[in-house]
C-alpha cells in the first residue's frame, strides 16, 4: 500500500481526467470530499471497562445522488484510506450508471478481538455517532471488510430506534428478513464473474483451459471462485490473510470454503458430504500467488498489493480487481507495457453496490423482488457497463481502467455542467 492511498487515488483521477479532456473545473471538484465525520466511540467491554474506538464516515460526492458506500472494521483503517475508497465509490457508481454518489466509512478496530456482544455495542455506537450524518435520502452505508448482514441489521435497528421510524433504506446488505435483498450475499463476486464471462467472449477464452488464482477468500473471493468453477474454469490457487495454497490440477472451491468455515483455516481439501480429505498441494505466500503463471489473477483482499516493485513479476494475462484499489497507480503503466488486460475495480466489483441499489429501491417501494429478477437486472447492468467501457477503450485507444474512469468522470461532469460551470457563466 502506498504511504498515502488517497493521494494515489487523487492522482489517478487527475491524470485520467486530463487525458480525457474533461474540464479542469470538474476535476477540481472531484478532488475535494463533500463532508467527513470522525467520532470517538465509547464501548462497554465484557469485563466492565470502557474502550474508545475511532469511527470515520466520508461523503465524497453527491452530484449524481445520495452517497453510498460500505463500512469496514479493520485495525489499519485511516482517514486517507476512507477518503480514497469514497472517491473510488463515486467513480464506480457513475461507471455502472447508478443514481448515487460515493461514500465510505470505517472503524479502527480488530474485530477478531471482540466478543459478539462487544461487536454489537460497537456497531450501535457507530450509528449513534453518525445518526444525523447518514439516512436513506442522504448517505446509505453497507457491509465491507469484516462487516456483514448481521452487523448491518444492528445498525439499521439502532438508527430506527434513534429516529423513531421504520427506515430499512438507511442501510443495505441487511438480513433478508430485515429488509435485505435476495442475491446480495454473492453480488460482488457475481458482478466480477459476469465481467469475466464478457471478457472471455471478447478474448475467446475456453473455461476448461483457463487457470485462475484468487488472492483473498472472503465473500467476494469465494463467490467469484465458486461461480467460475461451476462455469468450468480451473481454480489453481487461493489465499487468505495467513497464506496461500496452490495445486496445478485445481481445487474444489466449495470443499475448501466448507472446511474454512468449520476450522477457520485455509486447507487444501476435498469433501464428500461430511468427510473431508487433504489433497496434494503446495503452500505458498500471498506475494508468490500474485506472481503465478496463470491466465486470470483476481486480487480480492485489500488495496495496494500490486506495486511498481512487484508489477514486473506479474505473469497473469488478465487481472480482475475484486478488491478496491489492489493495483497502485504507478504499477499500471508497467502492467500495460506487459500487455496485461486489467478489469478495474470500479467495474469488476460494482456488483455489490448495484444489488445494494436494488435493495434500497425495494425498501423504498415496499416490494421484494425475486432472486431471478435480481440476477437478471444485475446481469443487464454489468454486461451493459462492461461493453460500454470495452468499446470506449477500443475507440479512444485506452486501457479499460482509463476508459472506465473516463466514462464516469464525463457522466459526473455532465451533471455539474447542468448546473453551470465557468464556461457558461463567462459566456
Amino acid at each position: 500500500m502506498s504511504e498515502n492511498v488517497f493521494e494515489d487515488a487523487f492522482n489517478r483521477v487527475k491524470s485520467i481526467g486530463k487525458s480525457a479532456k474533461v474540464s479542469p473545473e470538474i476535476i477540481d471538484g472531484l478532488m475535494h470530499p463533500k463532508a467527513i465525520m470522525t467520532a470517538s466511540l465509547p464501548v462497554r467491554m465484557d469485563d466492565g471497562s470502557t474502550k474508545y474506538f475511532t469511527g470515520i464516515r466520508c461523503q465524497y460526492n453527491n452530484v449524481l445522488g445520495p452517497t453510498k458506500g460500505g463500512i469496514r472494521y479493520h485495525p489499519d483503517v485511516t482517514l486517507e484510506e476512507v477518503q480514497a475508497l469514497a472517491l473510488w465509490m463515486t467513480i464506480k457508481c457513475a461507471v455502472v450508471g447508478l443514481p448515487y454518489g460515493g461514500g465510505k466509512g470505517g472503524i479502527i478496530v480488530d474485530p477478531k478481538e471482540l466478543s459478539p456482544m462487544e461487536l454489537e455495542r460497537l456497531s450501535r455506537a457507530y450509528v449513534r455517532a453518525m445518526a444525523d450524518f447518514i439516512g436513506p435520502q442522504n448517505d446509505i452505508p453497507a457491509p465491507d471488510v469484516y462487516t456483514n448482514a448481521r452487523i448491518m441489521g444492528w445498525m439499521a435497528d439502532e438508527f430506527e430506534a434513534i429516529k423513531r421510524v421504520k427506515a430499512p433504506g438507511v442501510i443495505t446488505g441487511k438480513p433478508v428478513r430485515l429488509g435485505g435483498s435476495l442475491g446480495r450475499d454473492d453480488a460482488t463476486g457475481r458482478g466480477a464473474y459476469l465481467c469475466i464471462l464478457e471478457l472471455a467472449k471478447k478474448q475467446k477464452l475456453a473455461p476448461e483451459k483457463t487457470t485462475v488464482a484468487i488472492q483473498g477468500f472472503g465473500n467476494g473471493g469465494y463467490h467469484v471462485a465458486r461461480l467460475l468453477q461451476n462455469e468450468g474454469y480451473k481454480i489453481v490457487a487461493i489465499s487468505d490473510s495467513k497464506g496461500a495454497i496452490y495445486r496445478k490440477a485445481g481445487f474444489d472451491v466449495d470443499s475448501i470454503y466448507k472446511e474454512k468455515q468449520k476450522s477457520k483455516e485455509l486447507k487444501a481439501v476435498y469433501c464428500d458430504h461430511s468427510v473431508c480429505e487433504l489433497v496434494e498441494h503446495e503452500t505458498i505466500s500471498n506475494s508468490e500467488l500474485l506472481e503465478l503463471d496463470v491466465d486470470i489473477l483476481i486480487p480480492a483482499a485489500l488495496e495496494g498489493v500490486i506495486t511498481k516493485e512487484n508489477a514486473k513479476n506479474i505473469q497473469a494475462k488478465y487481472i480482475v480487481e475484486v478488491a478496491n484499489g489492489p493495483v497502485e497507480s504507478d504499477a499500471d503503466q508497467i502492467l500495460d507495457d506487459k500487455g496485461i488486460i486489467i478489469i478495474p475495480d470500479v467495474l469488476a466489483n460494482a456488483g455489490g453496490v448495484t444489488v445494494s441499489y436494488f435493495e434500497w429501491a425495494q425498501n423504498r417501494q415496499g416490494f421484494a423482488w425475486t432472486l431471478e429478477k435480481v440476477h437478471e437486472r444485475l446481469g443487464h447492468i454489468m454486461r451493459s457497463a462492461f461493453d460500454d467501457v470495452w468499446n470506449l477503450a477500443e475507440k479512444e485507444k485506452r486501457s479499460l481502467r482509463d476508459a472506465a474512469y473516463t466514462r464516469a468522470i464525463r457522466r459526473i461532469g455532465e451533471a455539474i455542467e447542468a448546473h453551470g460551470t465557468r464556461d457558461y457563466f463567462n459566456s
Side-chain angles (χ1 to χ4, degrees):
M1 188 187 299
S2 65
E3 288 185 7
N4 192 329
V5 68
F6 178 57
E7 185 177 346
D8 195 59
F10 173 102
N11 288 337
R12 181 174 274 159
V13 169
K14 192 173 182 179
S15 172
I16 295 173
K18 184 177 180 180
S19 67
K21 297 181 171 56
V22 175
S23 164
E25 183 177 349
I26 291 166
I27 299 303
D28 186 53
L30 283 171
M31 298 301 100
H32 303 282
K34 176 180 179 289
I36 299 168
M37 176 83 166
T38 303
S40 293
L41 312 176
V43 176
R44 181 74 65 188
M45 309 303 284
D46 290 345
D47 64 3
S49 66
T50 298
K51 281 190 178 179
Y52 290 84
F53 301 88
T54 299
I56 305 168
R57 186 73 187 169
C58 174
Q59 298 170 2
Y60 200 91
N61 183 287
N62 66 352
V63 170
L64 295 178
T67 52
K68 183 86 185 73
I71 301 169
R72 63 175 49 186
Y73 290 2
H74 198 278
D76 295 332
V77 165
T78 64
L79 177 59
E80 289 75 19
E81 178 193 49
V82 170
Q83 289 181 95
L85 292 165
L87 173 54
W88 287 327
M89 184 61 80
T90 302
I91 299 297
K92 186 186 304 180
C93 291
V95 168
V96 294
L98 301 182
Y100 281 147
K104 209 72 178 184
I107 301 176
I108 304 172
V109 62
D110 184 350
K112 297 176 183 178
E113 295 180 353
L114 301 184
S115 72
M117 292 183 71
E118 289 169 340
L119 197 61
E120 180 180 4
R121 294 182 202 118
L122 176 65
S123 302
R124 290 179 180 276
Y126 182 86
V127 174
R128 286 195 297 274
M130 303 290 171
D132 292 329
F133 200 60
I134 63 174
Q137 317 257 354
N138 179 40
D139 180 26
I140 306 109
D144 199 80
V145 175
Y146 291 129
T147 53
N148 55 28
R150 187 183 301 278
I151 290 172
M152 295 304 106
W154 290 334
M155 289 186 169
D157 180 68
E158 188 68 20
F159 182 87
E160 290 175 343
I162 293 168
K163 299 295 184 178
R164 296 181 182 273
V165 295
K166 293 301 290 183
V170 67
I171 301 268
T172 60
K174 304 179 297 295
V176 172
R177 293 296 173 225
L178 298 178
S181 175
L182 295 172
R184 180 62 183 85
D185 55 345
D186 71 353
T188 300
R190 186 172 291 274
Y193 157 77
L194 291 167
C195 286
I196 292 170
L197 295 190
E198 293 304 300
L199 174 71
K201 291 177 189 176
K202 306 286 187 188
Q203 297 291 290
K204 296 180 170 54
L205 302 179
E208 65 279 2
K209 296 180 181 178
T210 306
T211 55
V212 182
I214 300 177
Q215 190 216 28
F217 203 52
N219 181 274
Y222 162 64
H223 284 298
V224 71
R226 173 182 63 82
L227 291 165
L228 286 174
Q229 184 174 67
N230 290 344
E231 194 72 24
Y233 290 81
K234 187 185 291 185
I235 312 301
V236 299
I238 297 170
S239 77
D240 64 7
S241 59
K242 297 175 184 175
I245 51 178
Y246 170 75
R247 186 171 184 250
K248 188 175 181 181
F251 293 112
D252 181 66
V253 171
D254 278 326
S255 292
I256 294 174
Y257 183 76
K258 178 180 177 182
E259 178 64 23
K260 184 169 172 62
Q261 299 312 298
K262 185 172 70 175
S263 67
K264 305 301 180 186
E265 293 181 9
L266 189 68
K267 294 181 181 179
V269 296
Y270 174 77
C271 298
D272 185 5
H273 298 292
S274 61
V275 179
C276 295
E277 296 181 359
L278 285 172
V279 296
E280 249 185 78
H281 69 284
E282 293 179 45
T283 300
I284 60 176
S285 66
N286 266 290
S287 58
E288 288 173 319
L289 179 145
L290 294 171
E291 299 173 7
L292 287 173
D293 184 8
V294 294
D295 296 304
I296 300 175
L297 171 64
I298 303 178
L302 295 173
E303 59 269 7
V305 296
I306 298 178
T307 66
K308 63 181 179 181
E309 283 74 30
N310 66 359
K312 61 183 180 297
N313 300 323
I314 303 298
Q315 299 185 68
K317 300 176 184 69
Y318 308 96
I319 296 175
V320 182
E321 298 181 335
V322 172
N324 289 306
V327 177
E328 292 187 352
S329 59
D330 53 10
D332 262 341
Q333 191 59 54
I334 298 171
L335 298 172
D336 284 346
D337 291 344
K338 288 165 66 74
I340 297 172
I341 294 176
I342 301 172
I343 303 180
D345 52 354
V346 293
L347 173 60
N349 70 21
V353 69
T354 300
V355 177
S356 276
Y357 165 59
F358 296 165
E359 180 178 332
W360 180 72
Q362 291 170 75
N363 292 157
R364 290 167 66 86
Q365 293 170 348
F367 182 79
W369 301 355
T370 63
L371 182 61
E372 291 74 19
K373 184 173 183 178
V374 170
H375 285 172
E376 177 189 350
R377 292 194 169 185
L378 175 62
H380 172 74
I381 286 177
M382 294 304 300
R383 284 190 288 268
S384 176
F386 184 93
D387 285 345
D388 286 348
V389 169
W390 185 276
N391 293 337
L392 180 60
E394 287 195 330
K395 179 182 178 182
E396 300 193 8
K397 302 293 186 292
R398 296 174 174 273
S399 69
L400 291 181
R401 188 189 310 283
D402 281 12
Y405 272 70
T406 297
R407 172 179 162 90
I409 293 169
R410 285 174 179 169
R411 276 185 166 172
I412 295 167
E414 288 168 4
I416 293 172
E417 286 170 350
H419 289 294
T421 60
R422 176 181 175 181
D423 291 340
Y424 169 78
F425 289 111
N426 282 340
S427 64

